[in-house]
Structure formats: structure tokens, C-alpha cells
Amino acid sequence: MNRTVDTQQPIATPGTGQVAIGMPLHRIDGPLKVTGEARYAAEHPVADLAWGVVVNSTIAKGRIAEIDTTEALSVPGVLDVLTHDHRPHMRSLGFMYKDMTAPKGSPFKPLHDDKVYCSGQPVALVLANSFEAARHAAALVRVSYEQEPHETHLLSNMDEAFEPGSLKAGYSPPPKPRGDADVAFALAPVKHQAEYYSGVEHHNPMEMFASTVIRAPDGHLTIYDKTQGSQNCRWVVSHAFGLPKDKVTVRNPYVGGAFGSGLRPQYQLLLAVMGSLHLNRSVRVMLTRQQMFTFGHRPETWQRVALGAEADGTLTAIAHEAIAETSQKEEYVEVVVNWSGQLYRCNNVRLGYKLVHLDQYTPIDMRAPGAAHGVHALEVAMDELSYQLKMDPLALRLKNYTDHDASKDLPYSTKALRACYEQGAERFGWARRPAEPRAMREGHELVGWGMATGIWDALQMFARARAVLSADGHLEVSSAATDIGTGTYTVMAQIAAAAMGLPLEKVTFRLGDSTLPVAPIEGGSSHVTTVGSAVEGVCEKLQKTLFKAARKMPGSPFSKDRFAQVFFKDGAVWRRADPAVGARLVDIMASLGQASIEEKYLMLPNMLKQKKYVRSTHSAVFCEVKVDEDFGTVRVTRVVSAVAAGRIINPQTARSQVIGGVVWGISQALHEETLADHALGRFMNHNYGEYHVPVNADIEDIDVVFVEEDDRIVSRLGAKGVGEIGLVGVAAAVSNAIYHATGRRVRSTPMTPDKVMAL
């Protein structure tokens, strides 16, 4: 049967019947994505479209002496070449715009002036009637530079490290020391101290960054952008170019992966708007895979961890310090060391975090920013300490388990980590693990088992939602949320359907449009707790409106009932005391004589309650590796990830999130690293051929266990978040398994064959 499909909103799978929280539902947007009907930022058809191709700098630091565009402008179809001295006016020249996630400092402004701050910086934009003409002309733009000495090597510049003096959304500076970690470490009968290093990683989502700016005759700009926050991008465009906000609409109905790379507007957005304003026509700018390496990355990070313990495994000292990179223009910060002060019970803790300015683009958030590095170092150090104690690694963690965060002197809202340890270990078969390394072998491969703990903040922000119930019983709920592939369409529709007692095919959730009710940027695993709570809240308001109308219906069975005495199910409202008595929602709507009714809701976190607790998600990761000792190749053959993330709204989409996190953790452990030529100050392996990410052959058995947990402090739904926690601890578990297999400790990521063989 042929169906007309609205490519902006997915169609719910029909026939699902009554929907409940906790029901594993298929993704609503799945059919559109696999059939190619879902359109991404660079796929929207536009009449009279001009194309922009970026020209990037070839030096790491200096100034532009001259830009010769003569050859480029001679290419047929080329319309113009924008440069720092030939472009539309931006208010940012006198007004410092900052997006909602910007760290302290001055955000990079493309084509602002003649200064070059990093290799790959955009220095020109070629505009043409076709992509092919623009790409050809871009290769003909001649740029001359006055080069200056640059510094891009973190380890060579750590004596320049400084303590950041700023706060960024989601960042807390390390807490003050408690006790005296240095003295306690010196006196500890058992101690471990080591340095850990994590190289640069770059985002490589399937969809490359692109912006399609559609200019209407009245000057209104409708922008399809690859972003994790449509309203953030609208704010930046409006402020940078002095445009009224009602003249700019940003849409991102579908996003082909992001996981932090889209939290900030990337430079192609501002360049595409420049091109559109300059030409007075629609313009599209899409970055190449190579250009995806010219903005932001997970920062290179050095760490030192020192652990002291009694002979029975009781931790007496924790010292954890980190030094990471930032750009010359901004102080990008992450929560790297703080986890070490809260995860285990210890009276003497000292934490430190510093930055080094380098001549590189400002780093950006990348799935589980900070924890991916900080928890990794801590959990590898804990594993190393366990061998010195001759103690099982899991037993060491249980020995120092705590339900109280001593750094903040607060209890956890919920912490089912102990159950994660127990259920994960049982599923994995941890009790059969031999204590000594190199004790298991299969053929020519050594076999090792390792484990690690994961932790991430359980965040909640504020959001608005709107709900419209039509006379035919169809419910539309909307918020300017984002779905980067995490299942937002599905989960929000599921929450609304469950609240209103409607089948899924009667519910549509709209997102990805800056004109919709305000929603935060999709990041930090906070969308379900935030937007989901707003959706449930607006549905509750709608329920009360319907119940009020139902009480006024002629012969109403609810005339003496209160709202708490009814419930919604199967498209009707029913009496709790007599579930056979009810009224259909369509009949209630008919009694009102209206085509629809609408409610709005503002969800604000209960800060008075939340500030009394530490709110976190937790996990226990168990891993099996097989190592070819002759070649140093490592295969991750089994992973069990046991996760405590509050109430799981949709186990199917949540499981997919954790599996994706585990895959990325394996990638962090064994594959991903951006290599730099520091003489040139340039990242070199900027392609899929040389930047290694896992393929299907690299991934074997992944088992996900959701531990029962319900946290009404974090959200009214009882949910937390599962996007980030799936990654945290995975690389550490792989590292620890490699040591158990080989007796060789690798303290830097990725753990490539040469490192495994060298030890």
C-alpha cells in the first residue's frame, strides 16, 4: 500500500496498541532512515541553490599576507570568493557572541581577520552555481602566509600548564583536598603510582557537518543544520549578523550522529549564512571528511594517579592530576579528575586539573567528555593496585564501596552500582577468573579478563513542551529537542502515549525546529530526564483539562470524582474504583465542540530537592580479550555492561545506546588516535583510511544488563540517562584484560599492537 510520507516527521508504527513505560518499542524514525526518506542537513532540495566550498589554512600560526582569487573567479559558474576583507558585516566584530556551550574566552569567528590560529582554519569560501565548480575553484585559491612559530605538542609544553579560571556548562573545578593525600601515600604499606596518556580523538559521525540556508523573498532564512541544538544555532546566527530572531529558523529533524560534535555551531554554519547574505540567495556549505578534522576534538590529556592502601585493600590515599590542551582563544575544560574523589571511600584525596594553550582549534565535547579519560586512568590504576595487593579487582572495588560522596558530603540519590557489580560478574562468569596473568590460552592467543567501573552525571535541565489533542483523538506533542540517533522521537512519543493512554499510532512527537517550545541542547544524557519530564508534565495538564470537561458532560460518571480517582487507558478516561466505567477521549472532545485543545508546560528541576543529593549513573564493565602474542593484535571477544541508569523508558533503544557506547569504548581502547606532525602543526591521518574506527569484524559479543533502579530525585519519570555511561570504563576494562592476558601493562590509548608487543 502506498503511503504519503512527511519527511519532516516520522510516522509511528501502526498496530502497537496500548503503550507503557518500559516497553521495548522499535524506533519510530527507523523506516524513514533505512528507506532514505529522512532528509539530513545537506539533502533538502532548494531552487536556485548556490554551493560553498571552504578553503583551509595550510599553516598552524601566523597571518594571511595575500589571497589571490584570480584563477578561482575565472572558473565558469563561480559567483564569488569570500575572504576576511571581502564578506558581509558581522556584529561579532564589535559584539562578542557566544553560543550556549562556549567556554571562557573568545570563540573562533571564521573570516574574521588575517590571523591564523591553527592548521585547517577556514580562510576563504568559494561560492558557485554547482558544487563541482566551487570545489575546483577552491583548489585554485592561492594564499600566501607570514608564518610564526607554533606549539602543538602537549607533552613538550606541560611546564606552561595553568589552572583554568573559568566555568563552563557541565564543568565543576576539582574540589579542595581532604585530609593529606601526600602524607598518607608516603605512609601507605601498599602503593601504586603511574602516568597515563590519551591521544587526540576526532568525531567521525556518518553525516558530515553541513548547513543549507534557504532564503525567502522577504529575507527570512530557514536553515537546515547538523546540530544538537536548533535554538542555539538560531541564537548565534541572529546575534552574529544582527538579524531579528523571527527572521531565522533553524531545523534539524534528523541528525546522522553527533555525540558532542554538534553541541557548538561549527564554522560551516556562519559561512553558509555569510554566503546567503552576500548573494541574496540560498546557499549550502558541506564539509568534506578531511575538513571534519579541522574543528574540535577530544583533547590530548596526560594524567598521574597515585593510590595508597592498607594490606587489606582499604584505600588511604588518592592523588589524581591531569593536564589537557586547549586553544589559544578559549579555555576548554572537562571534568577529568573529580570522579576519583567520589567513586570510592577514602579520607585523603588531592585532585588537580590544568590546561595548556596550544596552536590548535578549541577541543569539543566527545561522548562522556572528561570521564572517558579520567575514569579510565583511575580504573586502570585500581587494577594495578589490586595486583600489588594480590586481591581480586572486583573485591578491591567492593572493599571501598561508598553510598556517600565525601567531596560534597552528600548521599547519592540512588546508587545501584553494587548490583551492577553482582549481576555483571554473574553474567560474565567472573568467579571463574584465575588470579594470575597469562593463565588462560586458546591456541596461539592469550586470554584475559578485566573489569572497570563507570560513572557519569545524571543531569536535568529545563524545558518546555506543548501538547495538542485533536477532535479525532490524535495527540501532537512538541519541543525543540534533538534526535541524534538516540531514539528521542520514539521515547518521547512513548512517554506521551503512556501518559494519555493512547496507542503509539495516535501520537506524534515533533522536534528539531527552533520555533518549537524551548529545549536544551541534546547532550550530557539529559534529554529523557529533561524533555521527557516536560512531555509527561504537559500530558498531565492535558489530562486534567480533559477530566474537567468529562465531569461536565451530561450524565457524567465522574461528577463526584477527583482527578486522582481516574486513569487514562485505551483512548479513554476510567474510574479507578470501577474500571468498567469511563468516557472516550473523542467523546469528551466532541462535548467541547472544539477542533483541538492545547496545553503548555514548563519543566523546571526541583533544585531544593536535587541539591541535597549527588546524582549519577553507574556501570560495571566486564571484558574478555584474546591477544596474539606474536603480533600484538587484540580481539575483544566478550563484553558485559551492567548499567544502573534509573527507570529505563524503552529497553530496546536504551540497549542500543549502551551497545554503541561499548563499541566506541573498544574504539577508544584499540583504534582511535589522530596523529600530528608537530613540525607542521597539522593532523595527518584525516580520513577513514588512516583514522581507525571499528568495523563489524572488530566487534563480537556485547551483553547489556539493566539493573533495576528508580530515581525520582533526578526526574519525575524515575529515569536518568544512558547515552554517555555506555562508554565510560570500557577502555579501562580492555586495558585491564590485556594485562591479565599478557602480564604487560599499557598506560596509553589506543593500545595498538606495537605497544602491546613492546612491553
Side-chain angles (χ1 to χ4, degrees):
M1 181 178 69
N2 293 326
R3 296 165 62 193
T4 301
V5 178
D6 177 0
T7 60
Q8 297 314 307
Q9 297 299 331
I11 295 175
T13 304
T16 55
Q18 187 63 36
V19 175
I21 299 298
M23 183 180 291
L25 300 179
H26 292 300
R27 293 174 186 267
I28 288 176
D29 48 329
L32 295 181
K33 289 181 174 178
V34 299
T35 58
E37 294 184 81
R39 288 180 178 155
Y40 294 85
E43 297 180 334
H44 295 270
V46 184
D48 192 32
L49 179 69
W51 292 80
V53 170
V54 178
V55 179
N56 301 91
S57 69
T58 58
I59 67 169
K61 186 177 182 180
R63 60 175 297 274
I64 300 168
E66 181 183 8
I67 300 180
D68 186 348
T69 61
T70 305
E71 288 186 74
L73 291 171
S74 68
V75 174
V78 170
L79 302 169
D80 209 344
V81 179
L82 302 185
T83 65
H84 64 276
D85 55 7
H86 177 60
R87 59 160 172 77
H89 174 74
M90 283 198 300
R91 283 179 66 198
S92 59
L93 295 176
F95 173 79
M96 189 58 63
Y97 74 86
K98 291 173 75 71
D99 71 271
M100 298 176 186
T101 66
K104 179 184 177 182
S106 173
F108 171 73
K109 298 171 284 293
L111 309 189
H112 173 65
D113 54 30
D114 64 354
K115 294 182 180 179
V116 176
Y117 296 95
C118 63
S119 180
Q121 174 181 315
V123 295
L125 179 71
V126 177
L127 297 167
N129 286 322
S130 70
F131 169 71
E132 291 77 11
R135 180 176 60 179
H136 175 54
L140 300 177
V141 175
R142 310 301 178 195
V143 185
S144 301
Y145 303 96
E146 293 179 3
Q147 196 164 351
E148 299 175 13
H150 61 264
E151 294 291 345
T152 57
H153 192 212
L154 174 68
L155 299 182
S156 298
N157 290 275
M158 291 203 299
D159 56 347
E160 301 295 326
F162 64 95
E163 293 185 2
S166 66
L167 295 181
K168 166 180 168 282
Y171 171 74
S172 298
K176 295 179 180 179
R178 63 176 185 264
D180 194 324
D182 296 323
V183 171
F185 179 77
L187 297 176
V190 183
K191 62 190 71 176
H192 163 73
Q193 181 173 251
E195 296 179 3
Y196 303 87
Y197 171 79
S198 302
V200 168
E201 299 172 51
H202 269 89
H203 284 278
N204 273 279
M206 290 294 289
E207 181 194 13
M208 292 174 286
F209 274 83
S211 300
T212 300
V213 181
I214 304 173
R215 188 183 186 279
D218 64 355
H220 185 278
L221 301 182
T222 299
I223 304 170
Y224 288 93
D225 189 61
K226 181 195 172 76
T227 176
Q228 290 172 248
S230 60
Q231 292 175 331
N232 187 30
C233 288
R234 182 189 66 180
W235 192 94
V236 167
V237 169
S238 176
H239 282 74
F241 295 99
L243 302 173
K245 68 176 184 178
D246 60 355
K247 287 292 186 180
V248 180
T249 300
V250 177
R251 293 176 178 162
N252 60 331
Y254 299 101
V255 180
F259 297 98
S261 61
L263 291 180
R264 302 190 69 175
Q266 301 303 345
Y267 62 71
Q268 94 289 334
L269 171 62
L270 292 176
L271 291 177
V273 175
M274 280 188 209
S276 179
L277 295 176
H278 182 70
L279 298 177
N280 289 323
R281 63 188 282 190
S282 301
V283 170
R284 174 175 296 152
V285 177
M286 182 174 70
L287 301 185
T288 65
R289 180 60 60 185
Q290 288 72 28
Q291 288 171 333
M292 294 286 287
F293 288 76
T294 62
F295 63 84
H297 50 269
R298 195 192 294 277
E300 183 181 9
T301 305
W302 169 93
Q303 299 175 78
R304 178 186 289 123
V305 179
L307 303 176
E310 300 289 355
D312 66 353
T314 301
L315 285 171
T316 59
I318 298 175
H320 188 176
E321 53 188 318
I323 298 177
E325 55 153 320
T326 189
S327 69
Q328 297 288 359
K329 295 179 69 65
E330 295 176 298
E331 291 184 14
Y332 173 82
V333 290
E334 294 184 341
V335 178
V336 177
V337 299
N338 299 23
W339 319 98
S340 296
Q342 70 178 92
L343 193 51
Y344 300 112
R345 185 177 61 253
C346 184
N347 294 328
N348 302 285
V349 178
R350 177 176 57 79
L351 308 172
Y353 175 68
K354 294 182 178 181
L355 298 176
V356 173
H357 283 302
L358 296 179
D359 298 309
Q360 293 182 162
Y361 205 98
T362 302
I364 51 177
D365 293 320
M366 192 171 189
R367 197 173 194 167
H373 285 166
V375 176
H376 173 85
L378 172 66
E379 288 301 292
V380 175
M382 286 288 285
D383 194 71
E384 297 196 59
L385 180 65
S386 74
Y387 283 96
Q388 292 184 244
L389 289 162
K390 299 189 183 303
M391 189 175 185
D392 181 88
L394 177 55
L396 175 62
R397 288 163 173 82
L398 289 169
K399 177 72 176 179
N400 295 282
Y401 191 88
T402 179
D403 287 315
H404 184 269
D405 180 354
S407 295
K408 298 179 180 178
D409 193 23
L410 293 173
Y412 285 90
S413 54
T414 55
K415 184 180 180 182
L417 176 57
R418 189 182 296 276
C420 291
Y421 287 144
E422 294 169 352
Q423 295 181 32
E426 182 179 1
R427 186 74 67 91
F428 186 82
W430 185 259
R432 302 192 304 273
R433 174 185 179 271
E436 294 300 318
R438 304 180 66 86
M440 296 189 292
R441 181 185 291 270
E442 290 185 9
H444 64 282
E445 292 179 309
L446 295 167
V447 181
W449 290 2
M451 61 85 55
T453 307
I455 183 172
W456 182 255
D457 290 332
L459 304 173
Q460 187 183 52
M461 292 171 267
F462 76 92
R464 294 182 183 273
R466 178 171 59 237
V468 179
L469 183 67
S470 301
D472 63 358
H474 185 273
L475 175 68
E476 179 181 280
V477 184
S478 59
S479 184
T482 300
D483 191 334
I484 61 173
T486 52
T488 305
Y489 276 119
T490 308
V491 171
M492 299 305 165
Q494 183 173 357
I495 292 169
M500 296 302 301
L502 292 170
L504 200 61
E505 61 266 26
K506 284 286 189 178
V507 178
T508 297
F509 182 70
R510 292 186 60 215
L511 55 73
D513 190 318
S514 63
T515 63
L516 296 176
V518 65
I521 295 168
E522 205 274 22
S525 300
S526 63
H527 243 33
V528 168
T529 61
T530 301
V531 180
S533 293
V535 167
E536 189 179 68
V538 76
C539 287
E540 183 177 318
K541 286 188 69 175
L542 192 61
Q543 286 178 336
K544 291 179 178 178
T545 300
L546 288 166
F547 175 66
K548 184 178 180 180
R551 293 186 65 187
K552 296 179 180 179
M553 293 172 64
S556 171
F558 307 113
S559 59
K560 296 183 179 180
D561 289 324
R562 298 187 304 275
F563 178 72
Q565 295 174 305
V566 301
F567 67 97
F568 287 71
K569 186 178 181 181
D570 296 329
V573 56
W574 308 90
R575 294 186 67 195
R576 293 188 183 276
D578 188 357
V581 176
R584 297 192 308 161
L585 300 188
V586 291
D587 294 334
I588 299 173
M589 290 295 297
S591 73
L592 291 171
Q594 299 175 205
S596 64
I597 58 173
E598 176 180 327
E599 291 292 346
K600 298 178 181 179
Y601 182 78
L602 169 62
M603 199 293 299
L604 293 172
N606 188 339
M607 299 303 297
L608 290 177
K609 181 187 292 185
Q610 291 184 353
K611 71 179 184 179
K612 299 177 182 177
Y613 300 91
V614 173
R615 305 175 303 281
S616 301
T617 57
H618 298 89
S619 68
V621 185
F622 297 84
C623 172
E624 177 184 83
V625 301
K626 295 182 179 179
V627 182
D628 187 311
E629 192 171 20
D630 293 332
F631 296 101
T633 53
V634 178
R635 294 192 300 128
V636 178
T637 50
R638 276 198 307 140
V639 175
V640 173
S641 179
V643 177
R647 193 176 175 210
I648 302 301
I649 305 299
N650 185 330
Q652 184 159 311
T653 56
R655 179 177 178 272
S656 294
Q657 282 299 290
V658 176
I659 288 175
V662 171
V663 171
W664 204 337
I666 293 171
S667 188
Q668 176 193 357
L670 302 178
H671 299 278
E672 289 194 52
E673 183 178 25
T674 311
L675 301 174
D677 184 329
H678 294 295
L680 299 174
R682 183 185 310 163
F683 296 122
M684 304 303 292
N685 56 329
H686 52 291
N687 54 68
Y688 269 161
E690 296 173 301
Y691 184 91
H692 293 175
V693 295
V695 296
N696 286 347
D698 295 311
I699 306 301
E700 300 192 37
D701 184 43
I702 299 175
D703 192 4
V704 178
V705 178
F706 287 116
V707 170
E708 186 173 349
E709 193 176 56
D710 191 330
D711 196 323
R712 303 294 167 145
I713 303 298
V714 171
S715 71
R716 62 181 289 160
L717 294 164
K720 294 181 179 177
V722 296
E724 322 278 349
I725 192 63
L727 179 143
V728 184
V730 176
V734 174
S735 174
N736 297 338
I738 290 173
Y739 180 80
H740 186 243
T742 65
R744 301 169 181 170
R745 182 66 66 178
V746 183
R747 298 191 179 97
S748 67
T749 56
M751 292 168 280
T752 47
D754 57 313
K755 296 177 183 177
V756 175
M757 292 176 67
L759 298 174

